[in-house]
Amino acid sequence: MRYPAVAGRFYPADKDELLADIRRCFLHDIGPGLPERIGNERTISAAIAPHAGYMASGMNAAHTYRKIAEDGLPEAYVLIGPDHHGVPYRAVMCDEEYLTPLGPCKIHEGIAADLKEMIPSDCGAHKYEHSIEVQVPFIQFIDKDPKIVPIIMRDQSKESAERLAAAIRSACKGRDVIIIASSDMAHYIPKKDAERLNSMVLEKIRAKDVDGMYSAVEKNRISVCGYGPMAAAILGSEPSRIEVLKYSDSWDSLGYDIKAVVGYGSAVMYK
């Protein structure tokens, strides 16, 4: 069992408080009502959601999870988050249940078993990482019996993203899966600069231009923490189109320090 590392900090540790927080995230500037499926056949193959504390980025992330809920729930969610703690792997999976205040979230054992042939599994490496953990309560909120495959990505090079994408495609072949890339955008820069730089990255994502995204991040030194997971999601799902749902920043949500904001983006990718 992988136990929560940031419950009580990034989101409430109490079940009822957490549910209330997530409901508020869905109701904030999206419109009344909670998500319900509106289609007959699933069309979303991958998504992007931010991973800051819910007070900062939860309202943004809710756009992604509303779209997924409306589109229909998959067999499994493959979660790819960046490494913030220096794990000793290029990429590492956890094949044990993720516990949150909403209960244990199961692992998709079939995908995990196939994926272990290509990338290592070490749940200890997931012990402190928040980038995946904060996504799990949102998934549990929209899906009453979800199965996940959590992956931490330390090496975010394009080559690493390509390898991980190929491994995910192989392990998920014939299965109904959504890949979710966990990423925040540029960190701790003035709001106007954040809007300009993050728009460069989001435009490349919208255009499915992985090379262009890497070039924008590297040439402009944009501190996007999960560009590798976003690249892996694009390469792994091979979408027909990508829809950017929402861009916001920490000033919009918290009203704190307009000269040092963190940007957040939500998006979905279609088959």
Side-chain angles (χ1 to χ4, degrees), residues 161-199:
E162 288 172 336
R163 284 193 297 269
L164 181 55
I168 291 170
R169 282 199 307 272
S170 177
C172 295
K173 188 174 181 180
R175 294 180 167 113
D176 183 18
V177 171
I178 291 177
I179 303 170
I180 297 179
S182 179
S183 181
D184 293 339
M185 306 301 289
H187 287 60
Y188 307 123
I189 59 175
K191 183 177 176 68
K192 288 185 178 180
D193 292 338
E195 290 171 350
R196 176 177 59 84
L197 294 172
N198 289 329
S199 68

mmCIF file of all heavy atoms in Angstrom, residues 161-199:
data_model
loop_
_atom_site.group_PDB
_atom_site.id
_atom_site.type_symbol
_atom_site.label_atom_id
_atom_site.label_comp_id
_atom_site.label_asym_id
_atom_site.label_seq_id
_atom_site.Cartn_x
_atom_site.Cartn_y
_atom_site.Cartn_z
ATOM 1 N N ALA A 161 10.823 10.123 -23.054
ATOM 2 C CA ALA A 161 9.377 10.181 -23.304
ATOM 3 C C ALA A 161 8.974 9.194 -24.388
ATOM 4 O O ALA A 161 7.923 8.530 -24.288
ATOM 5 C CB ALA A 161 8.961 11.596 -23.681
ATOM 6 N N GLU A 162 9.794 9.077 -25.417
ATOM 7 C CA GLU A 162 9.500 8.127 -26.499
ATOM 8 C C GLU A 162 9.535 6.690 -25.988
ATOM 9 O O GLU A 162 8.664 5.876 -26.339
ATOM 10 C CB GLU A 162 10.506 8.317 -27.638
ATOM 11 C CG GLU A 162 10.302 9.598 -28.429
ATOM 12 C CD GLU A 162 11.417 9.875 -29.421
ATOM 13 O OE1 GLU A 162 12.545 9.361 -29.212
ATOM 14 O OE2 GLU A 162 11.166 10.605 -30.388
ATOM 15 N N ARG A 163 10.544 6.370 -25.162
ATOM 16 C CA ARG A 163 10.640 5.015 -24.613
ATOM 17 C C ARG A 163 9.445 4.700 -23.721
ATOM 18 O O ARG A 163 8.866 3.605 -23.797
ATOM 19 C CB ARG A 163 11.945 4.858 -23.823
ATOM 20 C CG ARG A 163 13.192 4.714 -24.666
ATOM 21 C CD ARG A 163 14.373 4.254 -23.822
ATOM 22 N NE ARG A 163 14.714 5.227 -22.797
ATOM 23 C CZ ARG A 163 15.596 6.201 -22.959
ATOM 24 N NH1 ARG A 163 16.212 6.347 -24.124
ATOM 25 N NH2 ARG A 163 15.860 7.041 -21.979
ATOM 26 N N LEU A 164 9.091 5.645 -22.865
ATOM 27 C CA LEU A 164 7.966 5.418 -21.969
ATOM 28 C C LEU A 164 6.665 5.298 -22.746
ATOM 29 O O LEU A 164 5.827 4.427 -22.460
ATOM 30 C CB LEU A 164 7.874 6.555 -20.949
ATOM 31 C CG LEU A 164 6.751 6.444 -19.911
ATOM 32 C CD1 LEU A 164 6.820 5.126 -19.149
ATOM 33 C CD2 LEU A 164 6.802 7.625 -18.951
ATOM 34 N N ALA A 165 6.480 6.137 -23.746
ATOM 35 C CA ALA A 165 5.265 6.079 -24.567
ATOM 36 C C ALA A 165 5.146 4.733 -25.260
ATOM 37 O O ALA A 165 4.055 4.139 -25.313
ATOM 38 C CB ALA A 165 5.269 7.209 -25.593
ATOM 39 N N ALA A 166 6.253 4.230 -25.787
ATOM 40 C CA ALA A 166 6.232 2.931 -26.463
ATOM 41 C C ALA A 166 5.885 1.811 -25.481
ATOM 42 O O ALA A 166 5.126 0.890 -25.813
ATOM 43 C CB ALA A 166 7.581 2.665 -27.127
ATOM 44 N N ALA A 167 6.439 1.893 -24.266
ATOM 45 C CA ALA A 167 6.147 0.882 -23.246
ATOM 46 C C ALA A 167 4.668 0.912 -22.863
ATOM 47 O O ALA A 167 4.030 -0.144 -22.714
ATOM 48 C CB ALA A 167 7.029 1.113 -22.020
ATOM 49 N N ILE A 168 4.120 2.108 -22.710
ATOM 50 C CA ILE A 168 2.706 2.236 -22.345
ATOM 51 C C ILE A 168 1.812 1.715 -23.465
ATOM 52 O O ILE A 168 0.850 0.980 -23.215
ATOM 53 C CB ILE A 168 2.374 3.700 -21.999
ATOM 54 C CG1 ILE A 168 3.060 4.100 -20.686
ATOM 55 C CG2 ILE A 168 0.861 3.913 -21.908
ATOM 56 C CD1 ILE A 168 3.001 5.579 -20.383
ATOM 57 N N ARG A 169 2.126 2.067 -24.697
ATOM 58 C CA ARG A 169 1.323 1.565 -25.826
ATOM 59 C C ARG A 169 1.321 0.042 -25.862
ATOM 60 O O ARG A 169 0.288 -0.596 -26.086
ATOM 61 C CB ARG A 169 1.856 2.113 -27.150
ATOM 62 C CG ARG A 169 1.466 3.548 -27.442
ATOM 63 C CD ARG A 169 1.604 3.878 -28.924
ATOM 64 N NE ARG A 169 2.938 3.557 -29.429
ATOM 65 C CZ ARG A 169 3.974 4.390 -29.386
ATOM 66 N NH1 ARG A 169 3.825 5.598 -28.864
ATOM 67 N NH2 ARG A 169 5.141 4.033 -29.866
ATOM 68 N N SER A 170 2.499 -0.557 -25.628
ATOM 69 C CA SER A 170 2.612 -2.013 -25.658
ATOM 70 C C SER A 170 1.810 -2.648 -24.517
ATOM 71 O O SER A 170 1.055 -3.602 -24.726
ATOM 72 C CB SER A 170 4.077 -2.425 -25.556
ATOM 73 O OG SER A 170 4.219 -3.819 -25.504
ATOM 74 N N ALA A 171 1.960 -2.108 -23.302
ATOM 75 C CA ALA A 171 1.279 -2.682 -22.133
ATOM 76 C C ALA A 171 -0.228 -2.481 -22.186
ATOM 77 O O ALA A 171 -0.980 -3.268 -21.599
ATOM 78 C CB ALA A 171 1.847 -2.072 -20.855
ATOM 79 N N CYS A 172 -0.668 -1.438 -22.871
ATOM 80 C CA CYS A 172 -2.100 -1.109 -22.898
ATOM 81 C C CYS A 172 -2.795 -1.573 -24.170
ATOM 82 O O CYS A 172 -3.990 -1.289 -24.352
ATOM 83 C CB CYS A 172 -2.280 0.403 -22.743
ATOM 84 S SG CYS A 172 -1.726 1.047 -21.148
ATOM 85 N N LYS A 173 -2.082 -2.270 -25.019
ATOM 86 C CA LYS A 173 -2.663 -2.689 -26.296
ATOM 87 C C LYS A 173 -3.926 -3.511 -26.061
ATOM 88 O O LYS A 173 -3.936 -4.455 -25.267
ATOM 89 C CB LYS A 173 -1.644 -3.510 -27.085
ATOM 90 C CG LYS A 173 -2.105 -3.827 -28.505
ATOM 91 C CD LYS A 173 -0.997 -4.526 -29.282
ATOM 92 C CE LYS A 173 -1.446 -4.829 -30.713
ATOM 93 N NZ LYS A 173 -0.375 -5.510 -31.488
ATOM 94 N N GLY A 174 -4.992 -3.136 -26.744
ATOM 95 C CA GLY A 174 -6.255 -3.847 -26.621
ATOM 96 C C GLY A 174 -7.066 -3.482 -25.398
ATOM 97 O O GLY A 174 -8.114 -4.085 -25.143
ATOM 98 N N ARG A 175 -6.603 -2.493 -24.621
ATOM 99 C CA ARG A 175 -7.304 -2.082 -23.408
ATOM 100 C C ARG A 175 -7.793 -0.642 -23.557
ATOM 101 O O ARG A 175 -7.208 0.161 -24.287
ATOM 102 C CB ARG A 175 -6.393 -2.201 -22.198
ATOM 103 C CG ARG A 175 -5.995 -3.648 -21.881
ATOM 104 C CD ARG A 175 -5.103 -3.695 -20.668
ATOM 105 N NE ARG A 175 -4.948 -5.036 -20.136
ATOM 106 C CZ ARG A 175 -3.811 -5.730 -20.154
ATOM 107 N NH1 ARG A 175 -2.727 -5.206 -20.709
ATOM 108 N NH2 ARG A 175 -3.742 -6.941 -19.640
ATOM 109 N N ASP A 176 -8.855 -0.331 -22.836
ATOM 110 C CA ASP A 176 -9.460 1.001 -22.878
ATOM 111 C C ASP A 176 -8.835 1.853 -21.774
ATOM 112 O O ASP A 176 -9.167 1.699 -20.596
ATOM 113 C CB ASP A 176 -10.971 0.880 -22.691
ATOM 114 C CG ASP A 176 -11.673 2.216 -22.784
ATOM 115 O OD1 ASP A 176 -11.073 3.176 -23.318
ATOM 116 O OD2 ASP A 176 -12.821 2.323 -22.305
ATOM 117 N N VAL A 177 -7.932 2.745 -22.162
ATOM 118 C CA VAL A 177 -7.082 3.446 -21.198
ATOM 119 C C VAL A 177 -7.073 4.942 -21.486
ATOM 120 O O VAL A 177 -7.157 5.365 -22.642
ATOM 121 C CB VAL A 177 -5.636 2.896 -21.269
ATOM 122 C CG1 VAL A 177 -4.672 3.736 -20.455
ATOM 123 C CG2 VAL A 177 -5.598 1.455 -20.783
ATOM 124 N N ILE A 178 -6.969 5.729 -20.419
ATOM 125 C CA ILE A 178 -6.658 7.153 -20.537
ATOM 126 C C ILE A 178 -5.304 7.388 -19.882
ATOM 127 O O ILE A 178 -5.073 6.956 -18.750
ATOM 128 C CB ILE A 178 -7.726 8.035 -19.852
ATOM 129 C CG1 ILE A 178 -9.045 7.983 -20.620
ATOM 130 C CG2 ILE A 178 -7.245 9.479 -19.746
ATOM 131 C CD1 ILE A 178 -10.166 8.781 -19.966
ATOM 132 N N ILE A 179 -4.413 8.061 -20.599
ATOM 133 C CA ILE A 179 -3.125 8.489 -20.041
ATOM 134 C C ILE A 179 -3.309 9.895 -19.492
ATOM 135 O O ILE A 179 -3.790 10.781 -20.203
ATOM 136 C CB ILE A 179 -2.024 8.482 -21.110
ATOM 137 C CG1 ILE A 179 -1.887 7.101 -21.756
ATOM 138 C CG2 ILE A 179 -0.692 8.929 -20.512
ATOM 139 C CD1 ILE A 179 -0.989 7.090 -22.996
ATOM 140 N N ILE A 180 -2.925 10.104 -18.240
ATOM 141 C CA ILE A 180 -3.034 11.435 -17.642
ATOM 142 C C ILE A 180 -1.635 11.927 -17.290
ATOM 143 O O ILE A 180 -0.941 11.319 -16.472
ATOM 144 C CB ILE A 180 -3.933 11.423 -16.399
ATOM 145 C CG1 ILE A 180 -5.353 11.024 -16.784
ATOM 146 C CG2 ILE A 180 -3.928 12.803 -15.731
ATOM 147 C CD1 ILE A 180 -6.323 10.949 -15.625
ATOM 148 N N ALA A 181 -1.235 13.020 -17.926
ATOM 149 C CA ALA A 181 0.040 13.666 -17.626
ATOM 150 C C ALA A 181 -0.185 14.727 -16.558
ATOM 151 O O ALA A 181 -1.047 15.592 -16.699
ATOM 152 C CB ALA A 181 0.626 14.304 -18.880
ATOM 153 N N SER A 182 0.598 14.660 -15.503
ATOM 154 C CA SER A 182 0.495 15.610 -14.396
ATOM 155 C C SER A 182 1.594 16.654 -14.537
ATOM 156 O O SER A 182 2.777 16.322 -14.532
ATOM 157 C CB SER A 182 0.645 14.847 -13.073
ATOM 158 O OG SER A 182 0.586 15.711 -11.976
ATOM 159 N N SER A 183 1.200 17.912 -14.676
ATOM 160 C CA SER A 183 2.207 18.958 -14.835
ATOM 161 C C SER A 183 1.657 20.325 -14.449
ATOM 162 O O SER A 183 0.512 20.655 -14.767
ATOM 163 C CB SER A 183 2.686 19.036 -16.291
ATOM 164 O OG SER A 183 3.679 20.042 -16.442
ATOM 165 N N ASP A 184 2.482 21.113 -13.779
ATOM 166 C CA ASP A 184 2.247 22.545 -13.661
ATOM 167 C C ASP A 184 3.049 23.242 -14.751
ATOM 168 O O ASP A 184 3.934 22.654 -15.375
ATOM 169 C CB ASP A 184 2.659 23.049 -12.277
ATOM 170 C CG ASP A 184 1.767 22.497 -11.172
ATOM 171 O OD1 ASP A 184 0.642 22.071 -11.474
ATOM 172 O OD2 ASP A 184 2.221 22.486 -10.007
ATOM 173 N N MET A 185 2.740 24.509 -14.967
ATOM 174 C CA MET A 185 3.432 25.274 -16.007
ATOM 175 C C MET A 185 4.578 26.062 -15.350
ATOM 176 O O MET A 185 5.119 25.621 -14.341
ATOM 177 C CB MET A 185 2.426 26.167 -16.736
ATOM 178 C CG MET A 185 1.213 25.426 -17.310
ATOM 179 S SD MET A 185 1.631 24.128 -18.507
ATOM 180 C CE MET A 185 2.174 25.112 -19.895
ATOM 181 N N ALA A 186 4.950 27.194 -15.938
ATOM 182 C CA ALA A 186 6.103 27.962 -15.442
ATOM 183 C C ALA A 186 5.912 28.368 -13.982
ATOM 184 O O ALA A 186 4.802 28.676 -13.547
ATOM 185 C CB ALA A 186 6.312 29.199 -16.309
ATOM 186 N N HIS A 187 7.014 28.361 -13.249
ATOM 187 C CA HIS A 187 6.994 28.584 -11.806
ATOM 188 C C HIS A 187 7.618 29.923 -11.402
ATOM 189 O O HIS A 187 8.710 30.269 -11.849
ATOM 190 C CB HIS A 187 7.788 27.482 -11.098
ATOM 191 C CG HIS A 187 7.114 26.155 -11.062
ATOM 192 N ND1 HIS A 187 6.765 25.460 -12.195
ATOM 193 C CD2 HIS A 187 6.723 25.373 -10.006
ATOM 194 C CE1 HIS A 187 6.196 24.316 -11.851
ATOM 195 N NE2 HIS A 187 6.158 24.246 -10.528
ATOM 196 N N TYR A 188 6.915 30.645 -10.529
ATOM 197 C CA TYR A 188 7.451 31.773 -9.761
ATOM 198 C C TYR A 188 8.066 32.872 -10.640
ATOM 199 O O TYR A 188 9.200 33.288 -10.447
ATOM 200 C CB TYR A 188 8.472 31.269 -8.730
ATOM 201 C CG TYR A 188 7.916 30.174 -7.870
ATOM 202 C CD1 TYR A 188 8.535 28.930 -7.786
ATOM 203 C CD2 TYR A 188 6.719 30.347 -7.165
ATOM 204 C CE1 TYR A 188 7.999 27.905 -7.012
ATOM 205 C CE2 TYR A 188 6.180 29.329 -6.385
ATOM 206 C CZ TYR A 188 6.827 28.119 -6.322
ATOM 207 O OH TYR A 188 6.299 27.110 -5.568
ATOM 208 N N ILE A 189 7.276 33.304 -11.607
ATOM 209 C CA ILE A 189 7.670 34.428 -12.458
ATOM 210 C C ILE A 189 6.497 35.404 -12.532
ATOM 211 O O ILE A 189 5.362 35.046 -12.193
ATOM 212 C CB ILE A 189 8.082 33.970 -13.874
ATOM 213 C CG1 ILE A 189 6.929 33.220 -14.567
ATOM 214 C CG2 ILE A 189 9.325 33.087 -13.808
ATOM 215 C CD1 ILE A 189 7.232 32.840 -16.011
ATOM 216 N N PRO A 190 6.731 36.656 -12.967
ATOM 217 C CA PRO A 190 5.620 37.618 -13.049
ATOM 218 C C PRO A 190 4.477 37.114 -13.922
ATOM 219 O O PRO A 190 4.695 36.408 -14.921
ATOM 220 C CB PRO A 190 6.285 38.858 -13.653
ATOM 221 C CG PRO A 190 7.717 38.752 -13.212
ATOM 222 C CD PRO A 190 8.027 37.288 -13.259
ATOM 223 N N LYS A 191 3.265 37.502 -13.552
ATOM 224 C CA LYS A 191 2.066 36.989 -14.220
ATOM 225 C C LYS A 191 2.105 37.206 -15.737
ATOM 226 O O LYS A 191 1.804 36.284 -16.497
ATOM 227 C CB LYS A 191 0.829 37.665 -13.621
ATOM 228 C CG LYS A 191 -0.499 37.152 -14.188
ATOM 229 C CD LYS A 191 -1.669 37.828 -13.495
ATOM 230 C CE LYS A 191 -2.998 37.409 -14.096
ATOM 231 N NZ LYS A 191 -3.340 35.998 -13.841
ATOM 232 N N LYS A 192 2.496 38.390 -16.188
ATOM 233 C CA LYS A 192 2.525 38.650 -17.629
ATOM 234 C C LYS A 192 3.527 37.758 -18.341
ATOM 235 O O LYS A 192 3.274 37.274 -19.452
ATOM 236 C CB LYS A 192 2.827 40.125 -17.895
ATOM 237 C CG LYS A 192 1.668 41.051 -17.556
ATOM 238 C CD LYS A 192 1.962 42.484 -17.955
ATOM 239 C CE LYS A 192 0.770 43.394 -17.659
ATOM 240 N NZ LYS A 192 1.057 44.804 -18.043
ATOM 241 N N ASP A 193 4.685 37.537 -17.719
ATOM 242 C CA ASP A 193 5.682 36.650 -18.310
ATOM 243 C C ASP A 193 5.164 35.216 -18.340
ATOM 244 O O ASP A 193 5.384 34.479 -19.308
ATOM 245 C CB ASP A 193 6.991 36.711 -17.519
ATOM 246 C CG ASP A 193 7.681 38.056 -17.645
ATOM 247 O OD1 ASP A 193 7.411 38.780 -18.619
ATOM 248 O OD2 ASP A 193 8.496 38.385 -16.756
ATOM 249 N N ALA A 194 4.492 34.815 -17.278
ATOM 250 C CA ALA A 194 3.944 33.464 -17.227
ATOM 251 C C ALA A 194 2.920 33.249 -18.338
ATOM 252 O O ALA A 194 2.921 32.201 -19.008
ATOM 253 C CB ALA A 194 3.304 33.204 -15.865
ATOM 254 N N GLU A 195 2.057 34.215 -18.554
ATOM 255 C CA GLU A 195 1.051 34.093 -19.611
ATOM 256 C C GLU A 195 1.704 33.970 -20.978
ATOM 257 O O GLU A 195 1.301 33.146 -21.809
ATOM 258 C CB GLU A 195 0.112 35.290 -19.568
ATOM 259 C CG GLU A 195 -0.808 35.292 -18.340
ATOM 260 C CD GLU A 195 -1.582 36.591 -18.192
ATOM 261 O OE1 GLU A 195 -1.282 37.563 -18.919
ATOM 262 O OE2 GLU A 195 -2.491 36.632 -17.336
ATOM 263 N N ARG A 196 2.740 34.775 -21.212
ATOM 264 C CA ARG A 196 3.424 34.745 -22.513
ATOM 265 C C ARG A 196 4.152 33.421 -22.727
ATOM 266 O O ARG A 196 4.013 32.783 -23.773
ATOM 267 C CB ARG A 196 4.410 35.917 -22.588
ATOM 268 C CG ARG A 196 5.260 35.952 -23.854
ATOM 269 C CD ARG A 196 6.140 37.187 -23.877
ATOM 270 N NE ARG A 196 7.025 37.249 -22.729
ATOM 271 C CZ ARG A 196 8.213 36.628 -22.648
ATOM 272 N NH1 ARG A 196 8.641 35.893 -23.680
ATOM 273 N NH2 ARG A 196 8.977 36.756 -21.593
ATOM 274 N N LEU A 197 4.920 32.991 -21.739
ATOM 275 C CA LEU A 197 5.724 31.785 -21.894
ATOM 276 C C LEU A 197 4.857 30.522 -21.900
ATOM 277 O O LEU A 197 5.064 29.620 -22.711
ATOM 278 C CB LEU A 197 6.762 31.709 -20.783
ATOM 279 C CG LEU A 197 7.845 32.800 -20.811
ATOM 280 C CD1 LEU A 197 8.697 32.733 -19.552
ATOM 281 C CD2 LEU A 197 8.715 32.672 -22.063
ATOM 282 N N ASN A 198 3.883 30.481 -21.019
ATOM 283 C CA ASN A 198 3.034 29.297 -20.972
ATOM 284 C C ASN A 198 2.180 29.161 -22.225
ATOM 285 O O ASN A 198 1.872 28.045 -22.656
ATOM 286 C CB ASN A 198 2.151 29.334 -19.730
ATOM 287 C CG ASN A 198 2.943 29.095 -18.460
ATOM 288 O OD1 ASN A 198 3.944 28.387 -18.460
ATOM 289 N ND2 ASN A 198 2.506 29.704 -17.363
ATOM 290 N N SER A 199 1.810 30.290 -22.825
ATOM 291 C CA SER A 199 1.026 30.217 -24.065
ATOM 292 C C SER A 199 1.851 29.584 -25.181
ATOM 293 O O SER A 199 1.303 28.878 -26.042
ATOM 294 C CB SER A 199 0.540 31.607 -24.486
ATOM 295 O OG SER A 199 1.617 32.439 -24.880
#
